[in-house]
Coordinates of all heavy atoms in Angstrom, one line a residue:
M903 N 10.5 -31.3 -49.1 CA 9.8 -30.2 -48.6 C 8.3 -30.6 -48.6 O 7.8 -31.3 -49.4 CB 10.0 -29.0 -49.4 CG 9.1 -27.8 -48.8 SD 8.9 -26.3 -49.7 CE 10.3 -26.0 -50.5
D904 N 7.6 -30.0 -47.6 CA 6.2 -30.2 -47.5 C 5.5 -29.8 -48.8 O 5.7 -28.7 -49.3 CB 5.7 -29.4 -46.3 CG 4.3 -29.5 -46.0 OD1 3.8 -30.6 -45.5 OD2 3.6 -28.5 -46.3
A905 N 4.5 -30.6 -49.2 CA 3.7 -30.3 -50.4 C 3.0 -28.9 -50.3 O 2.9 -28.2 -51.3 CB 2.8 -31.4 -50.7
R906 N 2.5 -28.6 -49.2 CA 1.8 -27.3 -49.0 C 2.8 -26.1 -49.3 O 2.4 -25.2 -49.9 CB 1.3 -27.2 -47.6 CG 0.4 -26.0 -47.3 CD -0.1 -26.0 -45.9 NE 0.6 -25.2 -45.0 CZ 0.6 -23.8 -45.0 NH1 -0.1 -23.2 -45.8 NH2 1.3 -23.2 -44.1
L907 N 4.0 -26.2 -48.7 CA 4.9 -25.1 -48.9 C 5.4 -25.0 -50.4 O 5.6 -24.0 -51.0 CB 6.2 -25.3 -48.0 CG 5.9 -25.1 -46.5 CD1 7.2 -25.2 -45.7 CD2 5.2 -23.8 -46.2
A908 N 5.5 -26.2 -51.0 CA 5.9 -26.2 -52.5 C 4.8 -25.6 -53.3 O 5.0 -24.8 -54.2 CB 6.1 -27.7 -52.9
A909 N 3.5 -25.8 -52.9 CA 2.4 -25.2 -53.6 C 2.4 -23.7 -53.4 O 2.1 -23.0 -54.4 CB 1.1 -25.8 -53.2
I910 N 2.7 -23.3 -52.2 CA 2.7 -21.8 -52.0 C 3.8 -21.2 -52.8 O 3.6 -20.1 -53.4 CB 2.9 -21.5 -50.5 CG1 1.7 -21.9 -49.7 CG2 3.3 -20.0 -50.3 CD1 1.9 -21.9 -48.2
E911 N 5.0 -21.8 -52.8 CA 6.1 -21.3 -53.6 C 5.8 -21.2 -55.1 O 6.1 -20.2 -55.8 CB 7.4 -22.2 -53.5 CG 8.1 -21.9 -52.2 CD 9.4 -22.8 -52.2 OE1 9.3 -23.9 -52.5 OE2 10.4 -22.2 -51.8
S912 N 5.1 -22.1 -55.6 CA 4.8 -22.1 -57.1 C 3.5 -21.3 -57.4 O 3.5 -20.8 -58.5 CB 4.6 -23.6 -57.6 OG 3.5 -24.2 -57.0
T913 N 2.6 -21.3 -56.6 CA 1.3 -20.6 -57.0 C 1.2 -19.2 -56.3 O 0.4 -18.4 -56.8 CB 0.1 -21.4 -56.6 OG1 0.0 -21.6 -55.2 CG2 0.1 -22.8 -57.3
R914 N 1.9 -18.9 -55.3 CA 1.8 -17.6 -54.6 C 3.1 -17.0 -54.5 O 3.6 -16.5 -53.5 CB 1.2 -17.8 -53.2 CG -0.2 -18.4 -53.1 CD -1.2 -17.7 -54.1 NE -1.2 -16.3 -54.0 CZ -2.1 -15.6 -53.3 NH1 -3.0 -16.2 -52.5 NH2 -2.0 -14.3 -53.3
F915 N 3.8 -17.0 -55.6 CA 5.2 -16.4 -55.7 C 5.2 -14.9 -55.2 O 6.1 -14.5 -54.5 CB 5.7 -16.5 -57.1 CG 7.0 -15.9 -57.3 CD1 8.1 -16.6 -57.0 CD2 7.2 -14.6 -57.8 CE1 9.4 -16.1 -57.2 CE2 8.4 -14.0 -58.0 CZ 9.6 -14.8 -57.7
N916 N 4.1 -14.2 -55.5 CA 4.0 -12.8 -55.1 C 4.0 -12.6 -53.6 O 4.6 -11.7 -53.1 CB 2.8 -12.1 -55.7 CG 1.5 -12.7 -55.2 OD1 1.3 -13.9 -55.0 ND2 0.5 -11.9 -55.0
V917 N 3.4 -13.6 -52.9 CA 3.4 -13.5 -51.4 C 4.8 -13.7 -50.9 O 5.2 -13.0 -50.0 CB 2.4 -14.5 -50.9 CG1 2.4 -14.6 -49.3 CG2 0.9 -14.2 -51.3
V918 N 5.5 -14.7 -51.4 CA 6.8 -15.0 -50.9 C 7.8 -13.9 -51.2 O 8.6 -13.5 -50.4 CB 7.3 -16.4 -51.4 CG1 8.7 -16.7 -50.9 CG2 6.4 -17.5 -51.0
A919 N 7.7 -13.4 -52.4 CA 8.5 -12.3 -52.9 C 8.3 -11.0 -52.0 O 9.2 -10.3 -51.6 CB 8.3 -11.9 -54.3
N920 N 7.0 -10.8 -51.6 CA 6.7 -9.6 -50.8 C 7.3 -9.8 -49.4 O 7.9 -8.8 -48.8 CB 5.2 -9.5 -50.7 CG 4.7 -8.3 -49.8 OD1 5.0 -7.2 -50.1 ND2 4.1 -8.6 -48.7
L921 N 7.3 -11.0 -48.9 CA 7.9 -11.3 -47.6 C 9.4 -11.1 -47.6 O 10.0 -10.5 -46.7 CB 7.5 -12.7 -47.1 CG 6.1 -12.9 -46.7 CD1 5.9 -14.4 -46.4 CD2 5.6 -12.0 -45.6
A922 N 10.0 -11.6 -48.7 CA 11.4 -11.4 -48.9 C 11.8 -10.0 -49.0 O 12.8 -9.5 -48.4 CB 11.9 -12.2 -50.1
F923 N 11.0 -9.2 -49.7 CA 11.3 -7.8 -49.9 C 11.1 -7.1 -48.5 O 12.0 -6.2 -48.1 CB 10.3 -7.2 -50.9 CG 10.5 -5.7 -51.0 CD1 11.6 -5.2 -51.7 CD2 9.6 -4.8 -50.5 CE1 11.7 -3.8 -51.9 CE2 9.7 -3.5 -50.6 CZ 10.8 -2.9 -51.3
T924 N 10.1 -7.4 -47.8 CA 9.9 -6.7 -46.5 C 11.0 -7.0 -45.5 O 11.4 -6.1 -44.8 CB 8.5 -7.2 -45.9 OG1 7.5 -6.9 -46.8 CG2 8.2 -6.6 -44.6
W925 N 11.5 -8.2 -45.5 CA 12.6 -8.6 -44.6 C 14.0 -8.5 -45.2 O 14.9 -9.0 -44.7 CB 12.3 -10.0 -44.0 CG 11.5 -9.9 -42.7 CD1 12.0 -9.8 -41.4 CD2 10.1 -9.9 -42.6 NE1 11.0 -9.8 -40.5 CE2 9.8 -9.8 -41.2 CE3 9.1 -10.0 -43.5 CZ2 8.5 -9.8 -40.7 CZ3 7.8 -10.0 -43.0 CH2 7.5 -9.9 -41.6
A926 N 14.1 -7.8 -46.3 CA 15.4 -7.7 -47.0 C 16.4 -7.1 -46.1 O 16.2 -6.0 -45.6 CB 15.2 -6.9 -48.3
G927 N 17.5 -7.8 -45.9 CA 18.6 -7.2 -45.1 C 18.2 -7.2 -43.6 O 19.0 -6.7 -42.8
E928 N 17.1 -7.8 -43.2 CA 16.7 -7.8 -41.8 C 16.8 -9.2 -41.3 O 16.8 -10.2 -42.0 CB 15.2 -7.3 -41.7 CG 15.0 -5.9 -42.2 CD 15.6 -4.8 -41.4 OE1 15.8 -5.0 -40.2 OE2 16.1 -3.8 -42.0
D929 N 16.8 -9.2 -40.0 CA 16.8 -10.5 -39.2 C 15.4 -11.1 -39.4 O 14.4 -10.4 -39.1 CB 17.1 -10.2 -37.8 CG 17.0 -11.5 -36.9 OD1 16.7 -12.6 -37.4 OD2 17.3 -11.3 -35.7
L930 N 15.3 -12.3 -39.9 CA 14.0 -12.9 -40.1 C 13.2 -13.2 -38.9 O 12.0 -13.4 -38.9 CB 14.1 -14.2 -40.9 CG 14.8 -14.1 -42.3 CD1 14.9 -15.5 -42.9 CD2 14.0 -13.2 -43.2
A931 N 13.8 -13.1 -37.7 CA 13.1 -13.3 -36.5 C 12.5 -12.0 -35.9 O 11.8 -12.1 -34.9 CB 14.0 -14.0 -35.4
Q932 N 12.9 -10.9 -36.5 CA 12.4 -9.6 -36.0 C 11.0 -9.3 -36.5 O 10.7 -9.4 -37.7 CB 13.3 -8.5 -36.4 CG 14.7 -8.5 -35.8 CD 14.6 -8.4 -34.2 OE1 13.8 -7.6 -33.7 NE2 15.4 -9.2 -33.5
P933 N 10.1 -8.8 -35.6 CA 8.8 -8.4 -36.1 C 8.9 -7.1 -36.9 O 9.9 -6.3 -36.7 CB 8.0 -8.2 -34.8 CG 9.0 -8.2 -33.7 CD 10.3 -8.7 -34.2
V934 N 7.9 -6.8 -37.7 CA 7.9 -5.6 -38.5 C 6.6 -4.9 -38.3 O 5.5 -5.6 -38.3 CB 8.1 -6.0 -40.0 CG1 7.8 -4.8 -40.9 CG2 9.5 -6.5 -40.3
R935 N 6.6 -3.6 -38.2 CA 5.4 -2.8 -38.1 C 4.8 -2.6 -39.4 O 5.5 -2.1 -40.3 CB 5.6 -1.5 -37.3 CG 4.3 -0.7 -37.3 CD 4.4 0.4 -36.2 NE 4.3 -0.1 -34.9 CZ 3.1 -0.5 -34.3 NH1 2.0 -0.5 -35.0 NH2 3.1 -0.9 -33.1
Y936 N 3.6 -2.9 -39.7 CA 2.9 -2.7 -40.9 C 1.9 -1.6 -40.9 O 1.2 -1.4 -39.9 CB 2.1 -4.0 -41.3 CG 2.9 -5.0 -42.1 CD1 3.8 -5.9 -41.4 CD2 2.9 -5.1 -43.5 CE1 4.5 -6.8 -42.1 CE2 3.6 -6.0 -44.2 CZ 4.4 -6.8 -43.5 OH 5.2 -7.7 -44.2
F937 N 1.8 -0.9 -42.0 CA 0.8 0.2 -42.2 C 0.3 -0.1 -43.6 O 1.0 0.0 -44.5 CB 1.4 1.6 -42.1 CG 1.9 1.9 -40.7 CD1 3.3 1.8 -40.5 CD2 1.1 2.4 -39.7 CE1 3.8 2.1 -39.3 CE2 1.6 2.7 -38.5 CZ 3.0 2.5 -38.2
M938 N -1.0 -0.3 -43.7 CA -1.7 -0.5 -45.0 C -2.7 0.6 -45.1 O -3.5 0.8 -44.3 CB -2.3 -1.9 -45.0 CG -1.3 -3.0 -44.9 SD -2.1 -4.6 -44.8 CE -2.6 -4.8 -46.4
A939 N -2.6 1.3 -46.3 CA -3.5 2.5 -46.5 C -4.9 2.2 -46.7 O -5.8 2.9 -46.2 CB -2.9 3.3 -47.7
I940 N -5.2 1.1 -47.4 CA -6.6 0.7 -47.7 C -6.9 -0.7 -47.1 O -6.4 -1.7 -47.6 CB -6.9 0.8 -49.2 CG1 -6.6 2.2 -49.7 CG2 -8.4 0.4 -49.5 CD1 -6.6 2.3 -51.2
A941 N -7.8 -0.7 -46.1 CA -8.0 -2.0 -45.4 C -8.7 -3.0 -46.3 O -8.4 -4.2 -46.1 CB -8.9 -1.7 -44.2
N942 N -9.5 -2.7 -47.2 CA -10.3 -3.7 -48.0 C -9.6 -4.0 -49.3 O -10.2 -4.7 -50.1 CB -11.7 -3.2 -48.2 CG -11.8 -1.9 -49.0 OD1 -10.9 -1.3 -49.3 ND2 -13.1 -1.6 -49.3
A943 N -8.4 -3.5 -49.6 CA -7.7 -3.8 -50.8 C -7.0 -5.2 -50.8 O -6.6 -5.6 -49.7 CB -6.6 -2.7 -51.1
P944 N -6.9 -5.9 -51.9 CA -6.1 -7.1 -51.9 C -4.7 -6.8 -51.5 O -4.2 -5.8 -51.7 CB -6.2 -7.5 -53.4 CG -7.3 -6.8 -54.0 CD -7.4 -5.5 -53.2
S945 N -4.1 -7.8 -50.8 CA -2.8 -7.6 -50.3 C -2.0 -8.9 -50.1 O -2.5 -9.8 -49.5 CB -2.9 -6.9 -48.9 OG -1.7 -7.0 -48.2
P946 N -0.7 -9.0 -50.6 CA 0.1 -10.1 -50.3 C 0.3 -10.3 -48.8 O 0.5 -11.4 -48.4 CB 1.4 -9.9 -51.1 CG 1.1 -8.8 -52.0 CD -0.1 -8.0 -51.5
T947 N 0.3 -9.2 -48.1 CA 0.5 -9.3 -46.6 C -0.7 -10.0 -46.0 O -0.5 -10.9 -45.2 CB 0.7 -7.9 -46.0 OG1 1.8 -7.3 -46.6 CG2 0.9 -8.0 -44.5
K948 N -1.9 -9.6 -46.4 CA -3.1 -10.3 -45.8 C -3.1 -11.8 -46.3 O -3.5 -12.6 -45.5 CB -4.3 -9.6 -46.2 CG -4.5 -8.2 -45.5 CD -5.8 -7.6 -45.7 CE -5.9 -6.9 -47.0 NZ -7.1 -6.1 -47.2
D949 N -2.7 -12.0 -47.5 CA -2.6 -13.4 -48.0 C -1.6 -14.2 -47.2 O -1.9 -15.4 -46.8 CB -2.3 -13.5 -49.5 CG -3.4 -12.9 -50.4 OD1 -4.5 -12.8 -49.9 OD2 -3.1 -12.7 -51.6
A950 N -0.5 -13.6 -46.9 CA 0.5 -14.3 -46.1 C 0.0 -14.7 -44.7 O 0.3 -15.7 -44.1 CB 1.8 -13.5 -45.9
L951 N -0.8 -13.8 -44.1 CA -1.4 -14.0 -42.8 C -2.4 -15.2 -42.9 O -2.4 -16.1 -42.1 CB -2.2 -12.8 -42.3 CG -1.4 -11.7 -41.6 CD1 -2.2 -10.5 -41.5 CD2 -1.0 -12.2 -40.2
S952 N -3.2 -15.2 -44.0 CA -4.2 -16.3 -44.1 C -3.5 -17.7 -44.5 O -4.1 -18.7 -44.1 CB -5.2 -16.0 -45.2 OG -4.6 -15.9 -46.5
L953 N -2.3 -17.6 -45.1 CA -1.6 -18.8 -45.4 C -0.8 -19.3 -44.2 O -0.1 -20.4 -44.3 CB -0.7 -18.6 -46.6 CG -1.4 -18.4 -47.9 CD1 -0.4 -17.9 -49.0 CD2 -2.0 -19.7 -48.4
G954 N -0.7 -18.6 -43.1 CA 0.1 -19.0 -42.0 C 1.5 -18.7 -42.1 O 2.3 -19.2 -41.3
L955 N 1.9 -17.8 -43.0 CA 3.3 -17.4 -43.1 C 3.7 -16.2 -42.3 O 4.9 -16.0 -42.0 CB 3.6 -17.1 -44.6 CG 3.3 -18.2 -45.6 CD1 3.6 -17.8 -47.0 CD2 4.0 -19.5 -45.2
L956 N 2.7 -15.5 -41.8 CA 2.9 -14.4 -40.9 C 2.0 -14.6 -39.7 O 0.9 -15.2 -39.8 CB 2.5 -13.0 -41.5 CG 3.5 -12.4 -42.5 CD1 2.8 -11.2 -43.2 CD2 4.7 -12.0 -41.9
E957 N 2.4 -14.0 -38.6 CA 1.5 -14.1 -37.4 C 1.5 -12.7 -36.8 O 2.5 -11.9 -36.9 CB 1.9 -15.1 -36.4 CG 3.4 -15.0 -35.9 CD 3.8 -16.2 -35.1 OE1 3.0 -17.2 -35.0 OE2 4.9 -16.2 -34.5
G958 N 0.5 -12.4 -36.1 CA 0.2 -11.1 -35.5 C -1.2 -10.6 -35.9 O -2.0 -11.4 -36.4
A959 N -1.4 -9.3 -35.7 CA -2.7 -8.8 -36.0 C -2.6 -7.4 -36.7 O -1.7 -6.6 -36.3 CB -3.5 -8.7 -34.7
L960 N -3.5 -7.2 -37.6 CA -3.6 -5.9 -38.2 C -4.9 -5.3 -37.7 O -6.0 -5.9 -37.9 CB -3.6 -6.0 -39.8 CG -2.3 -6.4 -40.4 CD1 -2.5 -6.7 -41.9 CD2 -1.2 -5.4 -40.2
D961 N -4.9 -4.2 -37.1 CA -6.1 -3.6 -36.5 C -6.5 -2.4 -37.3 O -5.6 -1.7 -37.9 CB -5.8 -3.1 -35.1 CG -5.4 -4.3 -34.2 OD1 -6.1 -5.3 -34.3 OD2 -4.4 -4.2 -33.5
P962 N -7.8 -2.1 -37.4 CA -8.3 -1.0 -38.2 C -7.7 0.3 -37.6 O -7.6 0.5 -36.4 CB -9.8 -1.0 -37.9 CG -10.1 -2.4 -37.5 CD -8.9 -2.9 -36.8
D963 N -7.4 1.2 -38.6 CA -6.9 2.5 -38.3 C -7.4 3.5 -39.3 O -6.7 3.7 -40.4 CB -5.3 2.5 -38.2 CG -4.7 3.9 -37.9 OD1 -5.4 4.7 -37.2 OD2 -3.6 4.1 -38.4
G964 N -8.6 4.0 -39.1 CA -9.2 4.9 -40.1 C -9.6 4.0 -41.3 O -10.3 3.0 -41.1
H965 N -9.1 4.3 -42.5 CA -9.4 3.4 -43.7 C -8.4 2.4 -43.9 O -8.5 1.6 -44.9 CB -9.6 4.3 -44.9 CG -10.7 5.2 -44.9 ND1 -12.0 4.8 -45.0 CD2 -10.8 6.6 -44.6 CE1 -12.9 5.8 -44.9 NE2 -12.1 6.9 -44.7
G966 N -7.4 2.3 -43.1 CA -6.3 1.3 -43.2 C -6.2 0.3 -42.1 O -7.1 0.2 -41.3
L967 N -5.1 -0.3 -42.1 CA -4.8 -1.3 -41.0 C -3.4 -1.1 -40.6 O -2.5 -0.6 -41.4 CB -4.9 -2.7 -41.6 CG -6.2 -3.2 -42.1 CD1 -6.1 -4.5 -42.9 CD2 -7.2 -3.3 -41.0
Q968 N -3.1 -1.4 -39.3 CA -1.7 -1.3 -38.8 C -1.5 -2.4 -37.8 O -2.5 -2.8 -37.2 CB -1.4 0.1 -38.2 CG -2.1 0.4 -37.0 CD -1.6 1.7 -36.3 OE1 -0.4 2.0 -36.5 NE2 -2.5 2.4 -35.7
G969 N -0.3 -2.8 -37.6 CA 0.0 -3.8 -36.6 C 1.4 -4.3 -36.7 O 2.1 -3.9 -37.6
V970 N 1.8 -5.1 -35.8 CA 3.1 -5.7 -35.8 C 3.0 -7.2 -36.2 O 2.2 -7.9 -35.6 CB 3.8 -5.6 -34.4 CG1 5.1 -6.3 -34.4 CG2 4.0 -4.1 -34.0
L971 N 3.7 -7.6 -37.2 CA 3.7 -8.9 -37.7 C 5.0 -9.5 -37.7 O 6.0 -8.8 -37.8 CB 3.1 -8.9 -39.2 CG 1.7 -8.3 -39.4 CD1 1.4 -8.3 -40.9 CD2 0.7 -9.1 -38.6
E972 N 5.1 -10.9 -37.6 CA 6.4 -11.5 -37.7 C 6.2 -12.8 -38.5 O 5.1 -13.4 -38.6 CB 7.0 -11.8 -36.3 CG 6.1 -12.6 -35.4 CD 6.7 -12.7 -34.0 OE1 7.9 -13.3 -33.9 OE2 6.1 -12.3 -33.1
L973 N 7.3 -13.3 -39.1 CA 7.3 -14.5 -39.9 C 7.1 -15.7 -39.0 O 7.7 -15.8 -37.9 CB 8.6 -14.6 -40.7 CG 8.8 -13.6 -41.8 CD1 10.3 -13.7 -42.2 CD2 7.9 -13.9 -42.9
T974 N 6.3 -16.6 -39.4 CA 6.2 -17.9 -38.8 C 7.4 -18.8 -39.2 O 8.2 -18.4 -40.1 CB 4.9 -18.7 -39.1 OG1 5.0 -18.9 -40.5 CG2 3.7 -17.9 -38.8
A975 N 7.6 -19.9 -38.6 CA 8.7 -20.8 -39.0 C 8.6 -21.1 -40.5 O 9.6 -21.1 -41.2 CB 8.7 -22.1 -38.2
E976 N 7.4 -21.4 -41.0 CA 7.2 -21.7 -42.5 C 7.5 -20.4 -43.3 O 8.2 -20.5 -44.3 CB 5.8 -22.1 -42.8 CG 5.4 -23.5 -42.3 CD 4.0 -23.9 -42.6 OE1 3.2 -23.0 -42.8 OE2 3.8 -25.1 -42.7
G977 N 7.2 -19.3 -42.8 CA 7.5 -18.0 -43.5 C 9.0 -17.8 -43.6 O 9.5 -17.4 -44.7
R978 N 9.7 -18.0 -42.5 CA 11.1 -17.9 -42.5 C 11.8 -18.9 -43.5 O 12.7 -18.5 -44.3 CB 11.7 -18.0 -41.1 CG 11.4 -16.9 -40.2 CD 12.2 -16.9 -38.9 NE 11.9 -18.1 -38.1 CZ 10.9 -18.3 -37.3 NH1 10.0 -17.3 -37.1 NH2 10.7 -19.4 -36.6
L979 N 11.3 -20.1 -43.5 CA 11.8 -21.1 -44.4 C 11.7 -20.7 -45.9 O 12.6 -20.7 -46.7 CB 11.2 -22.5 -44.2 CG 11.5 -23.6 -45.2 CD1 13.0 -23.9 -45.1 CD2 10.6 -24.8 -44.9
L980 N 10.5 -20.2 -46.2 CA 10.2 -19.8 -47.6 C 11.0 -18.6 -48.0 O 11.5 -18.5 -49.1 CB 8.7 -19.5 -47.8 CG 7.8 -20.8 -47.8 CD1 6.4 -20.4 -48.0 CD2 8.3 -21.8 -48.9
V981 N 11.2 -17.6 -47.1 CA 12.0 -16.5 -47.4 C 13.5 -16.9 -47.6 O 14.2 -16.4 -48.5 CB 11.9 -15.4 -46.3 CG1 12.9 -14.3 -46.5 CG2 10.5 -14.8 -46.3
R982 N 14.0 -17.8 -46.8 CA 15.4 -18.2 -46.9 C 15.6 -18.9 -48.3 O 16.5 -18.7 -49.0 CB 15.8 -19.2 -45.8 CG 16.1 -18.4 -44.5 CD 16.9 -19.3 -43.5 NE 16.0 -20.4 -43.0 CZ 15.2 -20.3 -42.0 NH1 15.2 -19.2 -41.3 NH2 14.5 -21.3 -41.6
R983 N 14.6 -19.8 -48.6 CA 14.7 -20.4 -49.9 C 14.6 -19.4 -51.1 O 15.3 -19.6 -52.1 CB 13.5 -21.5 -50.1 CG 13.7 -22.7 -49.2 CD 12.5 -23.6 -49.3 NE 12.2 -24.0 -50.6 CZ 12.8 -25.0 -51.3 NH1 13.7 -25.8 -50.7 NH2 12.4 -25.3 -52.5
F984 N 13.8 -18.4 -51.0 CA 13.6 -17.4 -52.0 C 15.0 -16.6 -52.1 O 15.4 -16.4 -53.2 CB 12.5 -16.4 -51.6 CG 12.3 -15.3 -52.6 CD1 11.4 -15.4 -53.6 CD2 13.0 -14.1 -52.5 CE1 11.3 -14.4 -54.6 CE2 12.9 -13.1 -53.4 CZ 12.0 -13.3 -54.5
R985 N 15.6 -16.3 -51.0 CA 16.9 -15.6 -51.0 C 18.0 -16.4 -51.7 O 18.8 -15.9 -52.5 CB 17.4 -15.2 -49.6 CG 16.6 -14.1 -49.0 CD 17.1 -13.9 -47.6 NE 16.4 -12.8 -46.9 CZ 16.6 -12.4 -45.7 NH1 17.5 -13.1 -44.9 NH2 16.0 -11.3 -45.2
R986 N 18.0 -17.7 -51.4 CA 19.0 -18.6 -52.0 C 18.8 -18.6 -53.6 O 19.7 -18.6 -54.3 CB 18.9 -20.0 -51.5 CG 19.7 -20.2 -50.2 CD 19.9 -21.7 -50.0 NE 18.7 -22.5 -49.8 CZ 18.0 -22.7 -48.7 NH1 18.5 -22.1 -47.6 NH2 17.0 -23.4 -48.7
R987 N 17.5 -18.8 -54.0 CA 17.2 -18.8 -55.4 C 17.5 -17.5 -56.1 O 18.0 -17.4 -57.2 CB 15.8 -19.2 -55.6 CG 15.5 -20.6 -55.4 CD 14.1 -21.0 -55.7 NE 13.9 -22.4 -55.5 CZ 12.7 -22.9 -55.1 NH1 11.7 -22.1 -54.9 NH2 12.6 -24.2 -54.9
A988 N 17.2 -16.4 -55.4 CA 17.5 -15.1 -55.9 C 19.0 -14.9 -56.1 O 19.5 -14.3 -57.1 CB 17.0 -14.0 -55.1
G989 N 19.8 -15.4 -55.1 CA 21.3 -15.3 -55.2 C 21.9 -16.1 -56.3 O 22.9 -15.8 -56.9
S990 N 21.2 -17.2 -56.7 CA 21.7 -18.1 -57.7 C 21.1 -17.7 -59.1 O 21.5 -18.3 -60.1 CB 21.4 -19.5 -57.4 OG 20.0 -19.7 -57.4
G991 N 20.2 -16.7 -59.2 CA 19.7 -16.3 -60.4 C 18.5 -17.0 -61.0 O 18.2 -16.9 -62.1
F992 N 17.9 -17.9 -60.1 CA 16.8 -18.7 -60.6 C 15.4 -18.3 -60.1 O 14.5 -19.0 -59.9 CB 17.0 -20.2 -60.1 CG 18.1 -20.8 -60.9 CD1 19.3 -21.1 -60.2 CD2 18.0 -21.2 -62.2 CE1 20.3 -21.7 -60.9 CE2 19.0 -21.8 -62.9 CZ 20.2 -22.0 -62.2
V993 N 15.3 -17.0 -59.8 CA 14.0 -16.5 -59.4 C 13.1 -16.2 -60.6 O 13.6 -15.7 -61.6 CB 14.1 -15.2 -58.5 CG1 12.8 -14.6 -58.1 CG2 14.9 -15.6 -57.2

């Protein structure tokens, strides 16, 4: 596996877990509509965007952000790996 993805898995576990939770039971190729209540708050979703695991745009909506995001190929790979590990009890 690419060293960058291994580093994300080990150091940004919260980001990968958030993506797996968001797409739980969903098709990983389907986009998801996001609504974030506070635009300037730290967020695993915004971190996933900056890491290139999500693509799309979050646009200002009052004090929050909203938009449609989808997993990139790297994001789908990390979510699949997370699901396999969760199923085997090694999360």
Side-chain angles (χ1 to χ4, degrees):
M903 178 193 322
D904 180 72
R906 185 179 98 74
L907 295 182
I910 291 170
E911 281 183 316
S912 63
T913 62
R914 299 311 312 266
F915 180 81
N916 64 322
V917 172
V918 179
N920 180 65
L921 294 175
F923 177 75
T924 301
W925 270 268
E928 300 293 328
D929 179 357
L930 298 181
Q932 292 297 322
V934 170
R935 177 162 288 284
Y936 270 83
F937 297 95
M938 299 174 70
I940 303 171
N942 62 353
S945 164
T947 301
K948 290 189 282 186
D949 291 346
L951 278 164
S952 69
L953 291 168
L955 304 178
L956 283 174
E957 58 189 7
L960 293 173
D961 299 313
D963 178 29
H965 293 288
L967 298 170
Q968 69 171 328
V970 175
L971 302 177
E972 57 187 298
L973 291 166
T974 63
E976 288 181 338
R978 288 190 300 275
L979 174 65
L980 290 177
V981 169
R982 281 194 295 272
R983 288 176 54 87
F984 181 91
R985 286 177 176 177
R986 274 197 303 271
R987 288 184 176 149
S990 65
F992 290 107
V993 173

